[in-house]
Amino acid sequence: MAGCGVRWQYILGAALSGALLLTAGILLGHYAIYKEPQTPEWLHSLSRDLDPALLEDFMNQVEAARIGQNLKDLSSKPHMATTKGDEELVQLILKAWRDPQTGLDSAMEGQYEVFLSFPDPEKPNSVAVVMENGSQAFISQETEKNLTADQADRDVVKPYAAYAPPGNPKGKLVYANQGKMSDYEYLVQQGIDLNGTIAITRYGGAGRADKAINGAKFGVVGVVVYTDPGDINDGKASATETYPYSWYLPPSGVERGSYNSHFGDLLTPYYPAKALSLHPPSCTCSNLAGNPVAEAAWQGALGCVYHLGPGFRQDGLFPNSSEVQVNVHNYRRINTSSNVMGLIRGSVEPDRYVLYGNHRDSWVHGAIDPSSGTAVMLEISRVLGKMVKEGKWRPRRSIIFGSWGAEEFGLIGSTEYTEEFYSKLQQRSVAYINVDIAVFANATLRAQGTPPAQSVIFAAVKTPAADSSLSVYENWKQHFSRNSSVYGVIPSLGSLGAGSDYASFIHYLGITSMDIAYTYDRSKTSARIYPAYHTAFDTFHYAETFIDPGFTSHQTVARTAGNVLIRLADALILPLNVSDYGETLQQMYSVAREAFQADLTHHNISLDPLWAAINRFQAAAAGLNQRIANLREEANPSPLDVRMVNDQLMLLERAFLNPRAFPEKYYYSHVIMASRSSSLATFPGLADAYDNAKEDGLWGEVHKQLTIVIQVIENAASILEPVAE
Amino acid sequence: MAGCGVRWQYILGAALSGALLLTAGILLGHYAIYKEPQTPEWLHSLSRDLDPALLEDFMNQVEAARIGQNLKDLSSKPHMATTKGDEELVQLILKAWRDPQTGLDSAMEGQYEVFLSFPDPEKPNSVAVVMENGSQAFISQETEKNLTADQADRDVVKPYAAYAPPGNPKGKLVYANQGKMSDYEYLVQQGIDLNGTIAITRYGGAGRADKAINGAKFGVVGVVVYTDPGDINDGKASATETYPYSWYLPPSGVERGSYNSHFGDLLTPYYPAKALSLHPPSCTCSNLAGNPVAEAAWQGALGCVYHLGPGFRQDGLFPNSSEVQVNVHNYRRINTSSNVMGLIRGSVEPDRYVLYGNHRDSWVHGAIDPSSGTAVMLEISRVLGKMVKEGKWRPRRSIIFGSWGAEEFGLIGSTEYTEEFYSKLQQRSVAYINVDIAVFANATLRAQGTPPAQSVIFAAVKTPAADSSLSVYENWKQHFSRNSSVYGVIPSLGSLGAGSDYASFIHYLGITSMDIAYTYDRSKTSARIYPAYHTAFDTFHYAETFIDPGFTSHQTVARTAGNVLIRLADALILPLNVSDYGETLQQMYSVAREAFQADLTHHNISLDPLWAAINRFQAAAAGLNQRIANLREEANPSPLDVRMVNDQLMLLERAFLNPRAFPEKYYYSHVIMASRSSSLATFPGLADAYDNAKEDGLWGEVHKQLTIVIQVIENAASILEPVAE
């Protein structure tokens, strides 16, 4: 009887003569009275909500020191994709996720044969200045200087431009600023003939490959990309001002990178047929370029006046007739790359997935990129795994961790994963959380995501940071804020581009995605990115000395991302506020109206149906939020009523997909969030079609793209409206 | 206490002195023992399964006479899309679905502005024989003869080829059999120059538009399509052998039809740039064609020897120099077309839709096409609506009825509906049931569908037919059977093409679809289709006299389709057997191996990975079926466990979609079920790529299509596998 929870105090006063009968009565009342069906054991668990105590327990268990140790282990050796170092980390992560005390339910390797590009160890790539007589006046260094011993590791890959095809193009040097279309156009306007030239461009402003693709359109035969200290070192360029004396990039530092034209495996490469060569340079070339002086915005911090070229100036270091030759000896091959996948099975809705991932491969030691993120992921998975192994917890929904391979070559591992399981992931994924570089700098949180991610991130950060009495939220707001038409001044959630492994989740599959990190105090640095990025100086020593001493910012990121993860996995009703999409759509509309309306009216294209669609969307979102509020007030909501609204919240993002909207943009199907060439923060297809129409007069394409946007917003609204009306 | 269902017999024997205490004990046992949470009211309904008594009640209530009356009402006037007759039927259906006693929960009109094509009432289209001097030796009749008064209705549209562009092409006549590519090639092999000719072709063998598109490739400037009595009348051609004396087509009958090159609205038409004109002819031309005699398979039943042409023979009806001129005066316009939508809200899973539809528009009176199907739909909705209004029943899942507009012009209404609500329908639809022509003839059931539809249709038809002691199933098996590798001899489920409104549901959205009808005894007729099809003789009189006297076959179709609908809407676990897909994939594989293997091996393309994928699929399907069987044995399965397997069953079909597989085939995304040019019943993309490679040597495309098939089957298998492994 004790097992039935009889409250003995109610019957202690009963006469002894009645005791037996009373007992019989209790038994009859409990078992014999017809109750159908018997209360099933799942009744309780199906309506269980997020447990604040569990959340606090998690937050308390996340340890900075363990993250530091993870980071040390992960970055002890170079681990470029598919190398020995990478394979060792595969084993390290599998071991962690299979640990009997702190591991997950299961862990496995998913392998892909991926198309990669490496420098030839026998024939170093180089940039040379070649005089008229054929002799070399200058040749670039092969790799970084050995400053902290890490750079001497024999597995450090020499700086190279992955996927640059082999070749030795030669020509007059021109300085093309950031290699944007507008930069090349400016040079042409200055009367410079770009045909047959080698362009030297700074990192920044345009994607790596775009610098070359753009140049090719103007006849440029080779592109040299370098890191200007003005962009990354707050102007510091000398050896004594830079690493190991500060976090700034030493003069010998070279940023490696992939020059893939689109993400994913390139087996069928979408690459300009024209032979292009690309190579990071020594940075002494630029002050030698002759003729017109570059305008102020083009000047860098190499301590001299930048000229445009073509060719070298009369009285300079090299004879005026010298040319620059780019020597690329890269080879391409297909290697086996692994994703490591870890699973915690959901207790109530195992067919709902909360995804969390980061890439594993680096260019060199990759302490910050990506090991800071992996160190955080391993600490989150350790704490959650421990709670599961101890029997204290099992999430409502399944949690899937992914350690992606070959991200640096073009988000390959994560993209292959989404290609292999596209239906399953589209049908079942609640959201994807990406923590790549966890800590760029230790000043403030920085989060990017699609609008429904805002609410869950905000909920997770309204607690004090690890090393401060200020909440993460308040600190974030002090650094990056915006004035929301709905909420007033709030932290500013950035939008997702395609810079890390969230790209295929959001753009290809339409899964609500977010990227979480700690970053700079912008009042203290204007560095384009942390200076050791993609160089041989991105080491554990660099990270612990200059980026996050004590690893407290790592700890805050782990707590934040883990908190978001637990909320998404455990909340009875998904903490995604779809109304926030309405605000974004409205902003985009305002920008479009401001910029395009006059021309559109002139061409008989009306924005009114777009405005009507956005209003319908907002009304539908508000209606759904009201129904959710009502559901929360029900004492015992039906599990299927809860599932219904959760499916609406989860699947909204999918409704913004149209795989036929941008057939020329590989993988980009999300009509609202796709990439755009236009600089305006508005509907990408519409903005680009508008820009094109201004050039070529094809206003029909503008009308088509407007129709696509309207259709997708109407379609999305219908997802939020009552399901049976 | 009575309300609590106490079983008094258990306590009647108790001593009176203990009675009060006993009562207290029962109260304590029932209320005071801690049970949390309180048993919620939804507990019962969430696990309720299909009720056989309800199903039988439905079957009994379906009345043949009411269907007959519906059919009479629906076909009393011509109701071509968007005409007055069509609008009257919109109102008729809205009224039925809003009836207070027998209507649905709600009904509404969905309107689209669709691009249509009509003949000019002032300038009749015609086919003329024009002599050298310019005078007409013959001109075709304008419309059918008035045989039963129906044909005299002023709203009877004159026979025309919808979407044929206006024009007056003229040339020598050739007889091109069915207008297939092989037919035109045969003529060229006979030494006939097709350039500048007018081709006369029989209906059948190729799609309407294909006859013209094919001809254009050979220089044909106009195409005339006619109905050969050999194809539709079992050879009967004279007035006294045909309607109104029999069901055969009278000599004046002309089949109308749409010559759209793809389905859906044609606002951005995908049409050959070449001017083509098409028109149904008088059928006296053919025996006049001169020169070579057509081979046996090309001969028809006009009572004369068919020649090939070009031009007329020397001693014939027309001078040898005469040409044929096709005069088309069609005009195109955008009209408002309505879908009428009716809803029964689901009680437990309102966000799961069982869809049922048929088009409403006809070419003329359309008693059979489509009113036989609409008459059936209205009877089903009446019986179900009545049960709902009486409070006797509410389905577990929502039921959505659709009366589609403008099907005859190219499945326009249904396609626009799927375009407007694509995400919602993809995420929530269990299946789509189509009953267009309900009764072609009264001999046997004929069902088409994707493999998961087989199990639910079989379950529905294992009861006796309305007018027979034989079950519908047994009768069907006697007429159309196949030897299944799994089940032995069973009725043969046909595959879906794109001949009715299921097309966009299955091909564009990947929703499990089926089409149900009654059809011919093939031992008694070889008619290509019922002879009055698309003519002014498809009337209520024709239907009740020759097609289904007493409407018992209509009743059987209503019972069958309604039974399927109720099973899909009410079954706790969806009655879709996904294992049956495995058998289809295996059959397709066998055909591919037999036909392609030798050549593929020669080009280093292996079918082994395809076979492995199919085996994985079959194992996954068997595993899911086992888990379903286990779930059925649980006393109280969790509603979310049930939902999980139902989502796997429901969403499997979606996993066969790849919107990038056939970019040139508008709407066709279902990799397994897409249209194909190849005559082999195997994977369409693979088969067509193979045929092309045999011509052009592009074996890379074969490899690509094979990869697409393998990927989609692996992807589908992953949907059926356990969700968290």
Side-chain angles (χ1 to χ4, degrees):
Chain A
M1 284 302 290
C4 294
V6 174
R7 296 182 185 174
W8 288 107
Q9 65 271 25
Y10 284 114
I11 55 168
L12 281 178
L16 192 66
S17 66
L20 268 175
L21 267 179
L22 180 64
T23 307
I26 291 167
L27 286 166
L28 285 170
H30 196 62
Y31 293 109
I33 292 175
Y34 181 63
K35 287 173 247 153
E36 62 162 356
Q38 240 190 313
T39 305
E41 76 258 34
W42 45 257
L43 187 58
H44 211 163
S45 61
L46 260 58
S47 57
R48 195 183 295 134
D49 206 345
L50 177 73
D51 177 3
L54 181 282
L55 207 50
E56 197 173 330
D57 189 17
F58 167 80
M59 300 290 272
N60 290 336
Q61 286 195 54
V62 171
E63 294 177 32
R66 285 185 188 266
I67 298 175
Q69 186 59 48
N70 289 345
L71 185 53
K72 192 168 187 176
D73 296 344
L74 290 163
S75 62
S76 65
K77 292 180 198 166
H79 50 282
M80 184 165 60
T82 75
T83 63
K84 186 167 53 69
D86 185 28
E87 179 49 32
E88 284 171 15
L89 294 193
V90 167
Q91 297 309 321
L92 182 154
I93 293 167
L94 279 172
K95 187 163 171 257
W97 287 350
R98 288 172 177 166
D99 186 279
Q101 267 77 51
T102 60
L104 309 177
D105 289 330
S106 64
M108 57 161 288
E109 241 178 302
Q111 297 189 324
Y112 302 94
E113 304 301 310
V114 304
F115 182 70
L116 303 178
S117 160
F118 299 103
D120 187 334
E122 309 299 317
K123 294 188 217 158
N125 294 341
S126 64
V127 179
V129 177
V130 181
M131 295 188 292
E132 218 167 0
N133 63 10
S135 65
Q136 284 185 350
F138 166 86
I139 186 154
S140 59
Q141 59 175 17
E142 283 184 28
T143 188
E144 285 104 341
K145 282 196 180 152
N146 180 19
L147 299 180
T148 65
D150 282 323
Q151 294 76 37
D153 191 304
R154 56 191 293 274
D155 289 330
V156 172
V157 71
K158 286 175 184 158
Y160 77 113
Y163 299 111
N168 306 84
K170 193 169 74 171
K172 295 280 184 194
L173 191 68
V174 290
Y175 173 51
N177 193 26
Q178 297 176 316
K180 303 188 295 287
M181 280 300 283
S182 58
D183 293 330
Y184 290 110
E185 283 160 1
Y186 175 82
L187 292 176
V188 170
Q189 283 158 19
Q190 299 305 308
I192 297 172
D193 179 5
L194 293 174
N195 279 299
T197 61
I198 303 288
I200 181 163
T201 69
R202 301 188 279 160
Y203 263 116
R208 294 186 191 97
D210 290 332
K211 296 171 193 289
I213 294 168
N214 294 341
K217 293 176 185 155
F218 293 85
V220 170
V221 295
V223 173
V224 174
V225 185
Y226 78 102
T227 301
D228 195 292
D231 294 326
I232 206 156
N233 272 4
D234 293 323
K236 309 284 194 300
S238 74
T240 53
E241 289 174 307
T242 56
Y243 186 71
Y245 306 102
S246 77
W247 80 324
Y248 292 118
L249 184 66
S252 72
V254 183
E255 178 179 331
R256 292 151 187 81
S258 176
Y259 288 71
N260 55 329
S261 56
H262 64 86
F263 63 82
D265 184 50
L266 293 174
L267 264 177
T268 48
Y270 174 51
Y271 211 80
K274 202 155 185 178
L276 281 176
S277 294
L278 312 110
H279 194 88
S282 148
C283 38
T284 53
C285 309
S286 172
N287 73 346
L288 304 169
N291 303 344
V293 172
E295 59 179 14
W298 289 39
Q299 295 297 328
L302 287 171
C304 52
V305 177
Y306 292 19
H307 290 246
L308 297 178
F312 296 101
R313 65 180 162 90
Q314 203 69 312
D315 309 319
L317 205 54
F318 306 116
N320 173 255
S321 59
S322 302
E323 294 189 317
V324 166
Q325 184 161 32
V326 177
N327 300 299
V328 177
H329 303 288
N330 290 347
Y331 67 96
R332 298 164 173 215
R333 57 174 295 177
I334 292 173
N335 278 353
T336 304
S337 174
S338 294
N339 294 335
V340 186
M341 306 304 303
L343 171 76
I344 302 178
R345 207 178 53 256
S347 57
V348 175
E349 296 181 278
D351 59 339
R352 287 294 174 262
Y353 305 150
V354 181
L355 307 162
Y356 182 113
N358 179 30
H359 68 101
R360 187 184 58 253
D361 65 305
S362 58
W363 281 116
V364 194
H365 298 81
I368 297 159
D369 182 7
S371 303
S372 62
T374 307
V376 161
M377 176 164 70
L378 287 178
E379 178 60 359
I380 293 172
S381 65
R382 179 192 70 82
V383 176
L384 297 183
K386 186 160 166 281
M387 296 196 298
V388 169
K389 295 286 185 192
E390 288 172 352
K392 286 162 68 175
W393 176 71
R394 180 165 289 287
R396 178 182 181 89
R397 306 181 179 90
S398 293
I399 293 173
I400 297 177
F401 289 101
S403 168
W404 314 119
E407 188 261 9
E408 294 294 3
F409 287 83
L411 321 180
I412 297 179
S414 55
T415 304
E416 297 308 296
Y417 177 73
T418 59
E419 287 173 341
E420 183 173 5
F421 299 109
Y422 62 95
S423 285
K424 180 162 121 165
L425 292 172
Q426 266 192 327
Q427 292 172 6
R428 301 175 188 161
S429 299
V430 167
Y432 173 68
I433 304 165
N434 195 66
V435 179
D436 180 344
I437 296 172
V439 182
F440 291 85
N442 60 1
T444 173
L445 193 78
R446 182 232 60 188
Q448 303 169 329
T450 56
Q454 177 176 280
S455 49
V456 64
I457 297 175
F458 280 9
V461 294
K462 288 189 169 169
T463 46
D467 56 350
S468 160
S469 59
L470 208 61
S471 74
V472 175
Y473 179 90
E474 287 300 328
N475 184 53
W476 180 13
K477 194 165 78 175
Q478 286 181 9
H479 281 87
F480 302 105
S481 67
R482 69 179 181 97
N483 202 337
S484 156
S485 61
V486 180
Y487 304 105
V489 177
I490 54 171
S492 175
L493 184 77
S495 62
L496 293 167
S500 187
D501 291 300
Y502 51 76
S504 56
F505 290 95
I506 182 61
H507 297 301
Y508 177 44
L509 297 186
I511 293 168
T512 296
S513 297
M514 64 202 85
D515 186 84
I516 296 172
Y518 239 62
T519 194
Y520 321 99
D521 180 343
R522 276 299 176 198
S523 70
K524 294 188 182 153
T525 180
S526 65
R528 183 171 58 79
I529 192 166
Y530 70 96
Y533 174 72
H534 284 200
T535 73
F537 305 112
D538 183 351
T539 61
F540 180 72
H541 174 262
Y542 182 89
E544 82 170 332
T545 312
F546 297 112
I547 299 293
D548 189 22
F551 299 102
T552 51
S553 294
H554 283 77
Q555 186 182 28
T556 302
V557 171
R559 285 177 170 171
T560 301
N563 193 313
V564 168
L565 174 63
I566 292 170
R567 286 171 189 272
L568 289 167
D570 267 6
L572 182 64
I573 293 173
L574 290 175
L576 302 170
N577 186 354
V578 292
S579 267
D580 292 336
Y581 238 119
E583 192 187 349
T584 299
L585 295 175
Q586 227 173 4
Q587 282 167 1
M588 287 184 164
Y589 173 81
S590 298
V591 172
R593 194 185 51 183
E594 174 78 17
F596 308 149
Q597 174 125 312
D599 278 320
L600 295 185
T601 304
H602 184 69
H603 290 91
N604 284 319
I605 300 170
S606 168
L607 288 173
D608 293 348
L610 175 58
W611 182 236
I614 293 171
N615 280 323
R616 178 181 165 194
F617 181 92
Q618 290 187 298
L624 177 59
N625 280 348
Q626 185 55 54
R627 294 197 303 283
I628 288 172
N630 297 346
L631 199 61
R632 284 191 198 282
E633 287 183 10
E634 283 185 32
N636 280 306
S638 151
L640 292 180
D641 288 352
V642 172
R643 173 80 160 215
M644 178 175 70
V645 298
N646 279 340
D647 277 1
Q648 290 178 284
L649 297 172
M650 175 179 97
L651 294 172
L652 168 67
E653 198 90 59
R654 246 67 98 222
F656 287 114
L657 293 184
N658 178 348
R660 295 167 182 88
F662 317 114
E664 76 293 355
K665 287 189 196 173
Y666 206 40
Y667 291 116
Y668 287 98
S669 296
H670 195 301
V671 172
I672 309 299
M673 297 294 160
S675 66
R676 55 182 150 76
S677 307
S678 165
S679 59
L680 292 177
T682 184
F683 307 103
L686 180 65
D688 287 352
Y690 174 87
D691 282 0
N692 292 340
K694 293 288 278 184
E695 299 266 322
D696 59 23
L698 296 176
W699 291 91
E701 190 58 26
V702 177
H703 191 253
K704 183 183 157 195
Q705 287 295 334
L706 179 61
T707 303
I708 286 172
V709 174
I710 294 166
Q711 185 203 23
V712 94
I713 295 174
E714 299 267 7
N715 181 58
S718 79
I719 292 302
L720 304 182
E721 288 166 353
V723 299
E725 265 191 2
Chain B
M1 287 301 291
C4 295
V6 175
R7 296 182 185 174
W8 289 106
Q9 66 271 26
Y10 283 115
I11 55 169
L12 282 178
L16 193 63
S17 65
L20 267 177
L21 267 180
L22 179 64
T23 305
I26 290 168
L27 286 166
L28 285 171
H30 195 62
Y31 294 107
I33 292 176
Y34 180 65
K35 287 172 249 156
E36 63 163 354
Q38 241 191 313
T39 307
E41 76 257 35
W42 44 257
L43 187 58
H44 212 161
S45 60
L46 260 58
S47 57
R48 194 182 296 134
D49 206 346
L50 177 72
D51 176 3
L54 181 284
L55 208 50
E56 197 172 329
D57 189 17
F58 166 81
M59 300 289 273
N60 290 336
Q61 287 195 55
V62 170
E63 293 176 33
R66 285 184 188 266
I67 298 175
Q69 186 60 48
N70 289 344
L71 185 53
K72 192 168 188 177
D73 295 343
L74 290 163
S75 61
S76 64
K77 292 182 198 165
H79 49 283
M80 185 166 59
T82 75
T83 62
K84 186 167 53 70
D86 185 27
E87 179 49 32
E88 284 172 13
L89 294 194
V90 167
Q91 298 308 323
L92 181 153
I93 293 168
L94 279 172
K95 185 161 173 258
W97 287 351
R98 288 172 176 164
D99 186 278
Q101 267 78 51
T102 60
L104 310 177
D105 288 329
S106 64
M108 57 163 286
E109 241 178 302
Q111 296 188 326
Y112 302 94
E113 303 302 309
V114 304
F115 182 70
L116 303 178
S117 160
F118 299 102
D120 186 335
E122 308 299 316
K123 295 187 217 156
N125 294 340
S126 64
V127 179
V129 176
V130 182
M131 293 189 291
E132 220 167 0
N133 65 9
S135 64
Q136 285 186 350
F138 166 86
I139 187 152
S140 57
Q141 60 176 14
E142 284 182 30
T143 189
E144 284 106 340
K145 280 196 181 150
N146 181 17
L147 299 180
T148 66
D150 283 323
Q151 294 76 39
D153 191 304
R154 55 192 293 275
D155 290 330
V156 172
V157 70
K158 286 175 184 157
Y160 76 113
Y163 299 112
N168 306 82
K170 191 170 75 169
K172 295 278 183 194
L173 191 68
V174 291
Y175 172 52
N177 195 26
Q178 297 176 315
K180 302 188 296 287
M181 279 300 284
S182 58
D183 292 331
Y184 291 110
E185 283 159 4
Y186 175 82
L187 291 175
V188 170
Q189 284 157 18
Q190 300 305 307
I192 296 173
D193 179 5
L194 293 174
N195 278 300
T197 60
I198 303 286
I200 182 163
T201 69
R202 302 189 278 160
Y203 263 116
R208 293 185 192 98
D210 290 333
K211 295 173 193 287
I213 294 168
N214 294 341
K217 292 176 186 152
F218 293 84
V220 170
V221 296
V223 173
V224 175
V225 185
Y226 80 102
T227 301
D228 196 292
D231 296 324
I232 207 154
N233 272 4
D234 293 322
K236 308 285 195 299
S238 73
T240 53
E241 290 173 306
T242 56
Y243 185 72
Y245 306 104
S246 77
W247 80 324
Y248 293 118
L249 184 66
S252 72
V254 183
E255 177 179 331
R256 293 150 187 81
S258 176
Y259 287 71
N260 55 330
S261 55
H262 63 86
F263 63 82
D265 183 50
L266 292 175
L267 262 178
T268 49
Y270 176 49
Y271 210 79
K274 204 154 182 173
L276 281 175
S277 294
L278 313 108
H279 196 90
S282 148
C283 39
T284 52
C285 310
S286 170
N287 73 346
L288 304 170
N291 302 345
V293 172
E295 59 180 14
W298 289 37
Q299 294 297 329
L302 287 171
C304 51
V305 177
Y306 291 20
H307 290 246
L308 298 179
F312 295 101
R313 65 180 164 89
Q314 204 66 312
D315 308 318
L317 206 53
F318 307 116
N320 173 254
S321 60
S322 302
E323 294 188 317
V324 166
Q325 184 162 31
V326 177
N327 300 301
V328 176
H329 304 287
N330 291 346
Y331 67 97
R332 298 163 174 215
R333 58 173 295 177
I334 293 173
N335 278 354
T336 303
S337 174
S338 295
N339 293 335
V340 185
M341 306 305 303
L343 172 76
I344 302 178
R345 208 177 53 256
S347 56
V348 174
E349 297 181 276
D351 59 339
R352 288 295 175 262
Y353 305 150
V354 181
L355 306 162
Y356 182 113
N358 179 30
H359 68 101
R360 184 185 58 253
D361 65 304
S362 58
W363 281 116
V364 194
H365 299 80
I368 296 159
D369 182 6
S371 304
S372 62
T374 307
V376 161
M377 177 164 71
L378 288 177
E379 177 61 358
I380 292 173
S381 64
R382 180 192 69 82
V383 176
L384 297 183
K386 183 160 168 280
M387 296 197 296
V388 169
K389 295 286 184 193
E390 289 171 353
K392 286 164 69 175
W393 176 70
R394 178 166 289 287
R396 177 182 183 89
R397 306 180 180 91
S398 294
I399 293 173
I400 297 176
F401 289 101
S403 168
W404 315 119
E407 189 261 9
E408 294 294 3
F409 287 83
L411 321 180
I412 296 179
S414 56
T415 304
E416 298 307 297
Y417 177 73
T418 60
E419 287 173 341
E420 183 173 5
F421 299 108
Y422 62 96
S423 284
K424 180 162 121 165
L425 293 171
Q426 266 192 326
Q427 293 171 6
R428 302 175 188 160
S429 300
V430 167
Y432 173 67
I433 304 164
N434 196 67
V435 179
D436 180 344
I437 296 171
V439 181
F440 291 85
N442 60 0
T444 173
L445 193 78
R446 183 234 59 186
Q448 303 168 329
T450 58
Q454 178 177 280
S455 47
V456 65
I457 297 174
F458 280 9
V461 294
K462 287 188 170 170
T463 46
D467 57 349
S468 160
S469 60
L470 208 60
S471 74
V472 176
Y473 179 91
E474 287 300 330
N475 183 55
W476 181 12
K477 194 165 78 174
Q478 286 182 9
H479 282 87
F480 302 105
S481 68
R482 69 181 180 96
N483 201 337
S484 156
S485 61
V486 179
Y487 305 103
V489 178
I490 54 173
S492 177
L493 184 76
S495 61
L496 294 167
S500 188
D501 291 300
Y502 51 76
S504 57
F505 291 94
I506 182 60
H507 297 302
Y508 177 46
L509 298 186
I511 293 166
T512 295
S513 297
M514 63 201 87
D515 186 84
I516 296 172
Y518 239 62
T519 194
Y520 320 99
D521 180 342
R522 278 299 177 199
S523 72
K524 294 188 181 154
T525 178
S526 66
R528 183 172 58 78
I529 192 165
Y530 70 95
Y533 174 73
H534 285 199
T535 72
F537 304 112
D538 183 351
T539 60
F540 180 73
H541 173 262
Y542 181 88
E544 82 170 333
T545 312
F546 297 112
I547 299 293
D548 188 23
F551 299 102
T552 52
S553 294
H554 283 77
Q555 185 181 29
T556 301
V557 170
R559 286 177 169 171
T560 300
N563 193 315
V564 167
L565 174 62
I566 293 171
R567 285 172 188 271
L568 290 168
D570 267 5
L572 182 64
I573 293 174
L574 291 174
L576 303 169
N577 186 355
V578 292
S579 266
D580 291 336
Y581 239 117
E583 191 186 350
T584 299
L585 294 176
Q586 228 171 6
Q587 282 167 0
M588 288 185 164
Y589 172 81
S590 299
V591 171
R593 195 184 52 183
E594 174 78 17
F596 308 150
Q597 175 125 312
D599 278 319
L600 295 185
T601 304
H602 185 68
H603 290 92
N604 285 316
I605 299 170
S606 168
L607 288 173
D608 293 349
L610 175 59
W611 182 235
I614 293 169
N615 280 322
R616 178 180 164 195
F617 181 92
Q618 289 187 299
L624 177 60
N625 280 348
Q626 185 55 55
R627 294 197 303 284
I628 289 172
N630 296 345
L631 198 60
R632 284 191 198 280
E633 287 185 8
E634 283 185 33
N636 279 306
S638 152
L640 293 180
D641 288 351
V642 172
R643 173 80 160 216
M644 178 175 70
V645 299
N646 279 340
D647 278 0
Q648 290 177 286
L649 297 171
M650 174 179 96
L651 294 172
L652 169 67
E653 198 90 59
R654 247 68 98 220
F656 286 115
L657 293 184
N658 178 349
R660 295 167 182 88
F662 316 114
E664 76 292 357
K665 288 188 194 171
Y666 207 40
Y667 291 114
Y668 287 97
S669 295
H670 195 302
V671 171
I672 309 300
M673 297 295 161
S675 67
R676 55 182 151 75
S677 307
S678 166
S679 60
L680 291 176
T682 184
F683 307 103
L686 180 65
D688 287 353
Y690 174 89
D691 282 359
N692 291 339
K694 293 289 279 184
E695 298 266 321
D696 58 23
L698 296 176
W699 291 90
E701 190 58 25
V702 177
H703 190 253
K704 182 184 157 194
Q705 287 295 335
L706 179 60
T707 303
I708 286 171
V709 173
I710 293 166
Q711 186 204 21
V712 95
I713 295 173
E714 298 267 7
N715 180 59
S718 80
I719 292 300
L720 304 182
E721 288 166 354
V723 299
E725 265 192 2

